[in-house]
Each structure stands twice: as structure tokens, then as C-alpha cells.
Amino acid sequence: DIYYQMFVNFSSQVEVDRLISVAVTMCQVPRLVLGIMATSKGLVVGDLRYTNTEGVIVDCNLAVGGDTIPQDVTGIQNIETSAKFVLVVEKDAVFQRLLEEAVLESSLAPLIMITGKGVPDLATRQLVYMLATQLCLPVLILTDCDPYGLDIFLMYKYSSLSMSWAAEPLAVTSSLWLGVLPSDLEPLGIPAASMKPHSDQDTKKMMDLSQRGYINDEMRHQLELMWDIGRKAEIQQIVEMRDPGFLAHEYLPEKIET
């Protein structure tokens, strides 16, 4: 709303977002304290119940297709769950596919599943952080096997570079990259012909990731494999080449077990 209320003063929404980040950093307070809330785009489903800021009890088990993550995550109360872990899925298409494959009734249940629909917004990261820190739930992250999937995992694990000096605690350093890993591609039998070559942007992103000081040995190994393979794979490719239910009932349980 800030941009549209004062659009003559700003060149784009991106400029507004950048200035808000600067203001939050300078004031060293969360955005909510400044009266700033962004529209949430993330979804959550599974074994999670809470009371929202309007006093309404929300049961995420009842949300067909996922419940929209509230804008004011820090204001929710009375959080209840029996979940064993939080599964964060990069893309909404995979999130919905897992629901179709009855992941909530699988051997993985009870669980909480979240998607940020690509690059996660602030509310999505706040919810993941809250579940990990307040409820001590393990966080497992499922992304495409490409540089941007790895970058999204790192946003959840270490927060984004653009918010590295912001006051909001967002990093879940205990989170794990479940897949799809470059080392998964050969065992899964995904042929190179079915994968797209890395673009110039992908190559640039890999070079950027390799220079980040917090990349540990295992992540660096996976990044080097990604570079050597020279191609990228989407989660949907794994699904399309297997029997229905493979992702929820075979791939994920095996990955979590190991």
C-alpha cells in the first residue's frame, strides 16, 4: 500500500522494499513495530493449530490446498502440534502434488508442510523460524536441483543477504537440505537429456554461492557436483518418471531415513 499511496515518490515497489529494509536496519526493530506488513503468499497445512490475532482458532489440518500464512505471524498464540518435523517445499505445484499423494496420511505423518511459493516472503520465514525455535521442530527443505533451489534453502537456513542486518530473527541454522540434491540424480536415473543446461544466470548464481563464507563442506560438494553436471532438474521430473505416490511414499521417506 505504501507504494500505491505515494507512487509519485517512488520508481517501483522494489525501491520501496529496499528503503523499508534500510529503515528496519537503522531502527533495529521488527517491521511490525513500524506498522509495516506485507501481504503473505505462503501456505501451511498439516498438524498445526493456533489462535490468530483476531481470536479465531485456525486448524491447518482442515485447510484444503493449504491455509494462507497470516501476515502477523508474531501475533499468533496457543500454538499446538504433534508434528515430528516441518517440511518446507520450494514450489506450490510440488506442495499441491504432495497433498494429492496424501502425504499427510503417509508414514511421514504427523507433519507440518509449508511452501513459500518460490522465494519465501517474510511471514513464511517467520513461521518456519517460530516452529523451529519455539516448538523445537526439525526443518527439512525440498527444492529443485538448481542454483536457485540451493539459494532458497540458504535463505531459510541463514536468512537472505538483503536482510542480513535486519532486526527480525529469521535464520533456522539447524534446517537441512533434503533434496533434490545433485548427488540424487544418478541414483534416481534421471537422464541428462531430460534436464536443461545451466543458463548464464545459473552459472553466475553458482559462482556467487561458492564465495559465501557460510557454505560448509557438504554444501560445497553438492555445489561442485551441480557445476560438473552442468544441468538442472526440477522435482516434477522425478514425479513424472515414477508411479503415482512416489514422491510422498518412497522418495521423501527414504531421504528422511538416511
Side-chain angles (χ1 to χ4, degrees), residues 67-79:
D67 195 62
T68 301
I69 293 172
Q71 292 178 327
D72 183 9
V73 170
T74 57
I76 66 177
Q77 297 178 329
N78 306 322
I79 304 173

Side-chain angles (χ1 to χ4, degrees), residues 108-229:
L108 300 176
L111 74 150
I112 299 168
M113 187 164 65
I114 291 172
T115 181
K117 296 184 179 180
V119 177
D121 59 16
L122 179 62
T124 301
R125 283 182 281 173
Q126 284 177 327
L127 180 60
V128 173
Y129 177 85
M130 178 180 289
L131 295 173
T133 56
Q134 292 188 18
L135 303 183
C136 300
L137 291 174
V139 174
L140 308 177
I141 300 176
L142 181 67
T143 73
D144 286 335
C145 183
D146 62 23
Y148 289 91
L150 173 55
D151 194 28
I152 285 172
F153 160 66
L154 294 173
M155 286 183 190
Y156 286 107
K157 189 174 182 70
Y158 297 116
S159 191
S160 60
L161 292 176
S162 63
M163 296 189 67
S164 59
W165 299 103
E168 293 99 332
L170 297 171
V172 181
T173 56
S174 61
S175 60
L176 299 175
W177 189 22
L178 192 62
V180 176
L181 305 178
S183 57
D184 292 338
L185 300 181
E186 186 175 345
L188 286 169
I190 299 178
S194 70
M195 297 186 286
K196 293 181 179 179
H198 289 146
S199 65
D200 291 342
Q201 290 81 6
D202 292 327
T203 301
K204 183 178 179 182
K205 175 61 71 173
M206 284 188 288
M207 293 176 68
D208 168 64
L209 292 172
S210 69
Q211 295 174 26
R212 297 188 187 178
Y214 51 69
I215 296 286
N216 62 29
D217 290 343
E218 176 56 27
M219 283 188 282
R220 192 170 298 280
H221 171 65
Q222 294 296 337
L223 187 58
E224 289 172 354
L225 277 178
M226 190 182 294
W227 181 279
D228 291 341
I229 292 168

Side-chain angles (χ1 to χ4, degrees), residues 15-29:
E15 183 185 7
V16 174
D17 295 341
R18 182 181 62 80
L19 291 173
I20 289 172
S21 296
V22 171
V24 167
T25 302
M26 292 177 64
C27 297
Q28 287 293 294
V29 295

